[in-house]
Amino acid sequence: MKESLHSVKYDPENRAAAVRGSLSRADSRESAAVHAPELLSPAGSMEAFLGAVNAGADAVYLAGKRFGARAMADNFSDEELKEVIRTAHLCGVKINLTVNTLTRQEELSGICEMLDPLVEEGLDAVIVQDLGVIAMIRRQFPTLAVHASTQLSVTDREAVRYLARLGVTRIVPARELSLAEVRDLKSELPVEIETFIHGAMCYCYSGKCLFSSFLGGRSGNRGRCAQPCRQPYCLQDANGKPAGCEKPSAEVYPLSMRDMCTLDLLPELIRAGIDSFKIEGRMKKPEYAAGVTAVYRKYIDRYRELSMQGRASEWKVDREDQETLQDLYLRTERSEGYYKKRNGRDMVTVTRPGYRGSDEKLLQQLREKYIHGVRRVPVRGEVRLCKGERASLSLSAEGPQESVQVFGDTVQQAVSCPLREEDAEKSILKFGNTVFTVDKGDIRILCDEDIFLPVRSLNDLRRSAVSGLEMKRLDGYNRQSDDFLRKRRAAIEETLEKSGAAPARTEHPACTDRQYPEVWAVVLSKEQAEAAESAGADLIADDSACFALEKEDRLLALPYVLRSTDSSYMQDALLKLQSGAYRGALARDISEIGYLREHGYSGTVVSDPAVYCWNRESLEVLEKDCDLVSFPYELTQREMEDCLQNGTACGRVLPAYGRVPMMITANCVKKTGNCCSGREEGFLMLRDRMNSLFPVRTVCSHCGNIIYNSVPLSLHKAAADRVFRQSRAILLAFTTEDAAETGRITQTFCRAARLGTAQEAPVSAYTNGHYRKGTE
């Protein structure tokens, strides 16, 4: 009879079907013939947590009521989090807490207040995006593992090394990486690698999307994405003509990614040595968490079992299980993500972005099977009831290290109503709401005749034994967890020490005597560069992506994302920087900052607004490798002032003008639209339902797109503000502007900087962004 999802029954004695504690799994990897990845499941509610654990998760990731990137999920109260940690650990399951939003200065203390009791309870790890939060947690909670969120968009070895030096022990890389690139990350350092294997996909590199933030004030970096990528858009060329094969009136969804399903790829993913397989879905139903976990649990274990028997070639996926996944809240179309291809139209739900719904009968089956009290841990026991001796109960779970013996009241000679063996057994077997369970045949009762012991004494004996076994199990779990983390950190530190690296910067450019900020212009073309220089710009940054505007007194603007395919570009960039062909670098990703440090570059490094610095902790991190640090786009004026060190902004750069890059993508709207113009860099346009036009820069040299806001940010009215006046420089970023527009805008901001007064708008349509009102 063929095994289907609904015929799989959890059996603690069957190693092929049961959930293994992920710590035991990690310890056995050195000698195991087949790699055993952790299965990490989502939980947005208590029911989802129960469903995931009962269906076979090795670890569960979830969030509290604050600081999680799924703010609209039910999430967990502080008390529920403590309960979840204890329950999970008794079942041998890890709990990873998401603290993966960007954090304002005044919120930092709240993170420590939230974590303090959870770390005391034994929280396994936190998943973090904010560089400052990483540094603060490592300092305040040195025994807590820190995992780098996919929101950090880790794409290459340099980013891995940068984060490892901050104390990160696990990386969740960008979902855009191929399987070959994931393998490459795994070979760099003994950090753990956790990758997504199932669920919804973002069109933009996670963490780099500002689309929802600037269109509706709901920031994805704060867990409140409104998913504008799921809306229809019309693709046009730079002249406003329809681009692609769709009819001009056709409603298409070029930014709506298909959901990921990698069930067929599991053998390759396992062989790649990935440490943790992650299922997306904290916003979804508990039945989804349970059902998807059960399917992947089944096939991970099946491959492991067959491989250990030398029969890996017999592994295959049953059609009905594929259908089960399709019926569990997946979009009408799905793909295997980026593991096998860089981009393409067949990765996007061009015409049907919605979910196909769920099979109600299936949901009911999953609810009945998995969503109830947490799965039980089987125990064995022995009761001794001998006259004149104290009653004793021994319980053991999974070996001699998880066994206890407790003693109770003295057993008396019965006077009238002797205690029967079956009555004693009945009392001892009442394990109630504990995580333990015992079959009648697994409890041995050694009982004298004509004895008496009150039922209350038997109940107290059982409770004492259960409590003792829980403590023994939790202590053993925590010791094993601490030992695993200690070994992991030691291996990482040893590898980093052997490789060596340039020391962190100890000196930074002093605040100048200049009474007003410099004006810097980031440009794409020679015409823009000449116009900005003629209008008075103090510094030009070459954003041509191919060194087209090389000049010794200019900055080199590096790409927003670096992949392994960009290695030759970075080698050329480093040579040009070290030879003095450029004055310095405008770094737009931590991998670039890490690359320059690792290769001993001592010239000027300026972090771009795309390298988020929301608090003084992150400023301190970035200042170790950057001479100047830019304010991010999503902070208000007051929040920027909160980030200032020593009350001054002289080491900061303020983005004051330009179309905000709202999406940095690996996929390509040109390919999605079936354009046939070849690898020509330039601009296309996306028109939304409100007839707003969003420029799309196709950067073929780095194989990606940059989608900009429909109107530019312009802070021409902010010239009298302290943040504006005290910044070392204000940054103007030019994209679609021609030479005349570039010159006029540069003149406006040069005047604003020099006079310190508000100016007339240099363009007819603009936005203040979040400078005044902020984002959710």
Side-chain angles (χ1 to χ4, degrees):
M1 180 179 177
K2 183 162 61 174
E3 177 189 59
S4 68
L5 166 65
H6 306 301
S7 68
V8 176
K9 183 179 180 181
Y10 176 77
D11 178 3
E13 301 300 322
N14 184 347
R15 189 166 178 80
V19 175
R20 269 75 71 182
S22 45
L23 290 172
S24 300
R25 188 184 288 257
D27 285 347
S28 66
R29 282 179 187 163
E30 295 298 326
S31 58
V34 181
H35 176 64
E38 169 189 272
L39 182 58
L40 177 60
S41 299
S45 67
M46 187 63 77
E47 282 194 333
F49 164 72
L50 293 174
V53 171
N54 290 335
D58 294 310
V60 174
Y61 69 102
L62 41 73
K65 296 294 185 181
R66 299 172 293 166
F67 310 118
R70 292 294 182 269
M72 289 172 280
D74 289 344
N75 294 319
F76 295 79
S77 68
D78 292 348
E79 286 304 312
E80 286 174 330
L81 286 172
K82 289 194 287 185
E83 177 187 349
V84 160
I85 293 169
R86 180 181 178 83
T87 301
H89 288 179
L90 287 172
C91 296
V93 174
K94 289 182 179 180
I95 294 296
N96 298 343
L97 183 72
T98 61
V99 188
N100 56 345
T101 56
L102 296 177
T103 308
R104 299 182 176 102
Q105 179 63 32
E106 70 270 15
E107 296 171 330
L108 290 175
S109 61
I111 291 179
C112 292
E113 291 170 5
M114 177 184 70
L115 287 180
D116 196 44
L118 303 182
V119 172
E120 184 71 23
E121 196 67 40
L123 177 66
D124 292 283
V126 283
I127 306 172
V128 187
Q129 174 188 12
D130 193 301
L131 296 177
V133 173
I134 292 175
M136 181 185 70
I137 290 176
R138 286 290 295 119
R139 184 175 66 250
Q140 298 292 336
F141 304 99
T143 62
L144 182 61
V146 178
H147 298 174
S149 170
T150 192
Q151 291 286 109
L152 276 161
S153 296
V154 173
T155 55
D156 64 5
R157 293 183 173 196
E158 280 67 32
V160 172
R161 297 178 70 82
Y162 183 89
L163 292 168
R165 291 188 185 281
L166 293 181
V168 168
T169 56
R170 178 182 288 190
I171 303 290
V172 190
R175 279 173 273 200
E176 287 78 3
L177 297 194
S178 68
L179 186 54
E181 288 174 301
V182 173
R183 287 196 195 98
D184 188 54
L185 294 188
K186 182 65 182 168
S187 67
E188 173 62 12
L189 281 170
V191 296
E192 292 183 295
I193 298 296
E194 171 185 308
T195 65
F196 283 91
I197 59 169
H198 192 90
M201 298 278 286
C202 297
Y203 194 81
C204 179
Y205 284 95
S206 294
K208 296 185 180 294
C209 185
L210 302 178
F211 215 145
S212 176
S213 178
F214 272 80
L215 260 61
R218 292 170 53 179
S219 173
N221 286 317
R222 300 281 291 175
R224 299 184 179 277
C225 180
Q227 297 192 327
C229 54
R230 303 297 180 185
Q231 297 300 313
Y233 298 89
C234 179
L235 184 61
Q236 301 180 344
D237 64 20
N239 297 316
K241 296 180 180 180
C245 65
E246 311 296 345
K247 295 179 180 179
S249 60
E251 195 168 76
V252 295
Y253 299 81
L255 308 182
S256 180
M257 292 289 291
R258 297 184 182 187
D259 283 4
M260 177 197 291
C261 178
T262 65
L263 196 58
D264 290 328
L265 294 181
L266 278 183
E268 289 184 74
L269 300 178
I270 292 172
R271 291 195 297 269
I274 297 168
D275 296 279
S276 182
F277 290 169
K278 188 172 193 173
I279 299 168
E280 181 275 338
R282 281 188 289 137
M283 295 282 289
K284 295 174 183 174
K285 298 177 181 179
E287 294 86 349
Y288 166 90
V292 175
T293 298
V295 172
Y296 279 93
R297 172 84 279 148
K298 171 181 173 180
Y299 287 100
I300 291 170
D301 289 339
R302 177 181 286 184
Y303 181 76
R304 179 177 171 80
E305 183 179 24
L306 289 171
S307 296
M308 294 178 73
Q309 298 171 6
R311 300 162 52 209
S313 60
E314 297 177 23
W315 186 91
K316 65 177 182 178
V317 177
D318 299 330
R319 182 174 55 84
E320 51 264 48
D321 288 331
Q322 288 281 19
E323 293 174 354
T324 292
L325 291 180
Q326 189 64 52
D327 287 337
L328 281 172
Y329 207 65
L330 278 181
R331 286 184 166 80
T332 51
E333 298 172 301
R334 59 187 182 179
S335 75
E336 294 177 338
Y338 290 92
Y339 286 115
K340 293 292 187 178
K341 64 185 308 181
R342 180 74 180 233
N343 47 39
R345 181 182 173 89
D346 58 354
M347 300 176 74
V348 179
T349 59
V350 178
T351 58
R352 294 178 295 171
Y355 287 101
R356 59 178 282 176
S358 299
D359 183 312
E360 291 302 321
K361 182 178 179 181
L362 172 61
L363 295 182
Q364 184 60 32
Q365 290 174 330
L366 292 168
R367 173 166 287 276
E368 292 173 356
K369 185 173 183 179
Y370 297 113
I371 302 172
H372 47 71
V374 74
R375 72 166 186 248
R376 301 299 183 91
V377 176
V379 298
R380 299 175 182 274
E382 180 180 281
V383 184
R384 295 182 62 89
L385 302 173
C386 301
K387 294 176 188 176
E389 298 180 9
R390 295 176 66 190
S392 69
L393 172 59
S394 300
L395 293 178
S396 61
E398 295 181 351
Q401 294 184 355
E402 289 190 5
S403 61
V404 295
Q405 183 180 24
V406 297
F407 294 90
D409 296 334
T410 301
V411 179
Q412 305 293 326
Q413 170 72 45
V415 176
S416 57
C417 297
L419 177 67
R420 296 183 303 169
E421 183 175 322
E422 55 266 34
D423 292 334
E425 183 181 69
K426 183 178 179 180
S427 292
I428 294 298
L429 291 176
K430 290 180 178 179
F431 278 73
N433 292 325
T434 72
V435 300
F436 301 119
T437 183
V438 60
D439 291 334
K440 190 173 182 179
D442 289 333
I443 196 79
R444 184 184 180 195
I445 298 182
L446 303 177
C447 180
D448 285 351
E449 295 181 355
D450 297 327
I451 61 170
F452 175 75
L453 191 68
V455 173
R456 173 186 56 78
S457 295
L458 285 170
N459 290 337
D460 289 345
L461 188 68
R462 184 194 66 248
R463 294 189 191 103
S464 178
V466 167
S467 177
L469 187 58
E470 286 181 344
M471 293 302 298
K472 199 77 173 280
R473 192 169 173 85
L474 290 173
D475 287 346
Y477 179 97
N478 290 332
R479 282 196 304 272
Q480 201 173 12
S481 178
D482 292 345
D483 187 54
F484 176 76
L485 180 60
R486 188 164 49 251
K487 290 179 180 177
R488 175 71 62 180
R489 282 181 174 160
I492 293 171
E493 290 169 3
E494 181 181 359
T495 305
L496 288 172
E497 187 176 347
K498 286 180 179 178
S499 66
R505 293 168 186 261
T506 56
E507 296 183 3
H508 299 278
C511 294
T512 65
D513 295 331
R514 183 166 168 159
Q515 299 301 307
Y516 54 89
E518 295 180 356
V519 176
W520 295 0
V522 183
V523 299
L524 299 179
S525 69
K526 179 181 178 182
E527 292 74 19
Q528 288 175 338
E530 292 175 346
E533 285 179 322
S534 298
D538 297 285
L539 183 64
I540 301 297
D542 173 8
D543 194 19
S544 65
C546 55
F547 314 114
L549 308 177
E550 177 183 322
K551 201 171 181 182
E552 61 185 13
D553 60 349
R554 292 176 177 173
L555 290 179
L556 173 61
L558 298 172
Y560 284 99
V561 171
L562 282 181
R563 302 278 288 272
S564 58
T565 51
D566 297 313
S567 59
S568 60
Y569 168 86
M570 277 306 294
Q571 291 170 6
D572 291 343
L574 181 64
L575 287 174
K576 290 180 180 294
L577 288 167
Q578 290 177 328
S579 68
Y582 287 96
R583 172 174 159 182
L586 180 64
R588 288 168 162 166
D589 189 79
I590 59 172
S591 68
E592 296 162 353
I593 296 173
Y595 183 95
L596 295 174
R597 173 179 177 175
E598 293 286 338
H599 290 81
Y601 177 63
S602 59
T604 300
V605 177
V606 182
S607 72
D608 185 82
V611 181
Y612 300 132
C613 180
W614 277 50
N615 49 67
R616 289 196 291 272
E617 291 277 359
S618 54
L619 175 60
E620 187 174 333
V621 171
L622 290 172
E623 283 187 332
K624 293 178 180 178
D625 300 298
C626 300
D627 298 286
L628 298 170
V629 177
S630 295
F631 288 111
Y633 290 113
E634 292 186 281
L635 292 188
T636 65
Q637 172 193 356
R638 183 188 63 79
E639 290 163 351
M640 291 180 191
E641 291 176 351
D642 288 343
C643 291
L644 303 182
Q645 294 281 38
N646 304 318
T648 177
C650 67
R652 305 301 296 272
V653 176
L654 175 69
Y657 175 85
R659 293 181 186 267
V660 173
M662 299 200 303
M663 276 192 172
I664 313 298
T665 78
N667 239 294
C668 178
V669 295
K670 182 182 287 189
K671 281 190 176 181
T672 300
N674 279 343
C675 288
C676 302
S677 53
R679 288 176 56 86
E680 295 180 6
E681 301 205 0
F683 282 93
L684 298 171
M685 294 287 178
L686 288 176
R687 182 187 295 275
D688 68 7
R689 286 177 170 178
M690 305 300 292
N691 285 323
S692 297
L693 286 173
F694 300 91
V696 182
R697 182 184 172 194
T698 56
V699 190
C700 299
S701 54
H702 297 289
C703 197
N705 289 176
I706 305 171
I707 302 176
Y708 296 94
N709 200 359
S710 59
V711 293
L713 169 75
S714 185
L715 301 184
H716 54 276
K717 294 182 179 180
D721 296 342
R722 182 163 70 100
V723 168
F724 191 108
R725 288 185 290 105
Q726 290 189 358
S727 290
R728 176 63 176 270
I730 58 172
L731 195 66
L732 316 180
F734 296 104
T735 49
T736 59
E737 293 84 357
D738 60 23
E741 292 170 323
T742 300
R744 183 179 69 252
I745 293 163
T746 303
Q747 286 178 339
T748 296
F749 280 94
C750 286
R751 189 165 55 249
R754 186 175 65 255
L755 300 177
T757 58
Q759 301 295 306
E760 293 295 322
V763 290
S764 58
Y766 65 91
T767 176
N768 290 318
H770 296 301
Y771 186 76
R772 299 297 184 193
K773 62 181 181 180
T775 182
E776 290 186 39

